[in-house]
Amino acid sequence: YIEKRARNNIAVRKSRAEAKEKQKQTEGRVNSLVGENERLQKKVDLLTKELNVLKGLFINVGAALPSSFAKLLES
């Protein structure tokens, strides 16, 4: 019985260490993805502002937008 408990204790320690390592890897991946998401959101915001500026230029100049651009801008 004592040997069986000793082996079980070793197995439990190993299992818990592996679970802890996997948790650390998952947290690292989550942090990485959060950072990437923030970067991409900033890029989307910047491109949206750029699009609005370009729309304004087309409107102010009085140039008619080609129909393909008009459809794209509406969506």
Side-chain angles (χ1 to χ4, degrees):
Y1 172 80
I2 294 173
E3 289 177 20
K4 183 177 178 183
R5 292 300 315 145
R7 283 194 314 262
N8 182 261
N9 287 342
I10 292 170
V12 166
R13 279 194 292 268
K14 181 180 176 184
S15 175
R16 288 180 181 160
E18 288 173 354
K20 196 173 191 179
E21 181 62 29
K22 186 173 181 179
Q23 178 67 24
K24 285 181 182 179
Q25 289 177 351
T26 301
E27 287 176 7
R29 180 80 172 128
V30 166
N31 290 336
S32 172
L33 290 173
V34 165
E36 183 180 357
N37 190 41
E38 289 174 357
R39 182 185 62 81
L40 291 172
Q41 187 59 49
K42 287 178 184 176
K43 187 173 183 177
V44 166
D45 293 341
L46 178 67
L47 291 172
T48 301
K49 288 177 185 177
E50 185 178 341
L51 177 63
N52 289 332
V53 167
L54 292 173
K55 278 184 191 179
L57 287 174
F58 271 116
I59 291 170
N60 288 340
V61 171
L65 290 174
S67 62
S68 60
F69 282 139
K71 290 178 186 174
L72 180 64
L73 294 176
E74 289 173 4
S75 60

